[in-house]
Amino acid sequence: QQQVRQSPQSLTVWEGETAILNCSYEDSTFNYFPWYQQFPGEGPALLISIRSVSDKKEDGRFTIFFNKREKKLSLHITDSQPGDSATYFCAARSNYNVLYFGSGTKLTVEP
Amino acid sequence: AQTIHQWPVAEIKAVGSPLSLGCTIKGKSSPNLYWYWQATGGTLQQLFYSITVGQVESVVQLNLSASRPKDDQFILSTEKLLLSHSGFYLCAWSRGGTGSAETLYFGSGTRLTVL
């Protein structure tokens, strides 16, 4: 059973547009939701994260919107840049040392 | 500054042969350590984690084993490789301590091809 789901699988936007990446989860005990960014051939790196007590987290052009009741969250990337082209993974964990990743969204930003 | 080093960068191995992958973390004492596996174009699946020397917890059974012989070293191994073991193996560390949220810092990975 997949604990974390992401959509779309791939997304193409023009430079300057807002990219919206979606994520949903199953386990209601999950309380921490990081988003990781991965470039080809590299390990992923933490981009931004949110805890379940918050409904929004902003860091520059990146914003997470969190809906605990619906078990959904989304990552908004405003003013998208070609350098943002990467695969984005939503992840989730509860109070144990296991982090579950979604299947990823491959974002392409066209100049 | 903390650094994480994985070795080798890439391996091509035959089915049935043994495997040993390594990971070393410098600049951080008593980190939590993790092994992840990523199929080509796929998601990351946590395999093992360790919060202290000599203790390793398995998350997914993939005919692999892990050991932590030193505080800063994490080893992934198997005596017999399967075709399904091909993929990208990532080591990660986080600040020590159980539970709650901690940032994972990933290494640059080992690309394994099993033929």
Side-chain angles (χ1 to χ4, degrees):
Chain A
Q1 181 188 5
Q2 198 169 359
Q3 297 277 10
V4 179
R5 289 187 168 84
Q6 286 186 249
S7 65
Q9 188 174 3
S10 63
L11 176 65
T12 299
V13 299
W14 294 105
E15 183 175 356
E17 290 185 333
T18 296
I20 300 176
L21 289 64
N22 301 302
C23 180
S24 64
Y25 62 97
E26 298 290 330
D27 193 332
S28 58
T29 68
F30 287 155
N31 56 22
Y32 171 65
F33 304 89
W35 284 83
Y36 281 80
Q37 180 188 54
Q38 185 178 32
F39 295 104
E42 298 181 7
L46 179 69
L47 183 66
I48 186 173
S49 64
I50 193 168
R51 296 177 190 262
S52 58
V53 294
S54 302
D55 56 14
K56 181 181 177 181
K57 177 79 172 290
E58 200 169 344
D59 185 359
R61 297 186 294 110
F62 302 92
T63 303
I64 299 174
F65 294 93
F66 179 68
N67 186 322
K68 187 174 183 177
R69 183 179 61 83
E70 295 187 7
K71 296 182 186 174
K72 290 181 178 179
L73 57 160
S74 60
L75 174 68
H76 292 224
I77 306 174
T78 58
D79 188 26
S80 296
Q81 302 297 310
D84 296 331
S85 296
T87 299
Y88 292 80
F89 291 96
C90 173
R93 70 183 292 175
S94 56
N95 291 326
Y96 300 94
N97 285 302
V98 180
L99 186 63
Y100 297 95
F101 282 79
S103 53
T105 293
K106 184 176 181 180
L107 174 67
T108 302
V109 181
E110 296 284 0
Chain B
Q2 299 86 7
T3 60
I4 179 170
H5 173 61
Q6 285 190 242
W7 73 91
V9 172
E11 278 266 46
I12 299 175
K13 304 277 282 185
V15 170
S17 63
L19 175 76
S20 181
L21 304 180
C23 172
T24 299
I25 291 84
K26 295 300 182 187
K28 178 65 185 171
S29 62
S30 304
N32 287 353
L33 298 176
Y34 309 82
W35 277 112
Y36 277 83
W37 174 75
Q38 185 177 30
T40 301
T43 188
L44 295 98
Q45 188 163 37
Q46 188 170 338
L47 302 176
F48 300 94
Y49 70 88
S50 170
I51 62 173
T52 191
V53 175
Q55 282 189 23
V56 177
E57 300 295 330
S58 173
V59 177
V60 174
Q61 292 292 333
L62 285 179
N63 293 308
L64 296 166
S65 61
S67 64
R68 186 171 178 176
K70 302 178 188 177
D71 185 54
D72 64 352
Q73 195 174 76
F74 209 16
I75 306 295
L76 184 70
S77 60
T78 182
E79 293 188 0
K80 267 189 177 181
L81 278 166
L82 308 173
L83 284 175
S84 57
H85 285 137
S86 292
F88 197 39
Y89 287 85
L90 291 152
C91 180
W93 70 271
S94 70
R95 287 191 299 155
T98 58
S100 76
E102 294 292 351
T103 301
L104 290 185
Y105 299 93
F106 285 88
S108 53
T110 295
R111 175 73 58 188
L112 174 67
T113 303
V114 182
L115 302 174

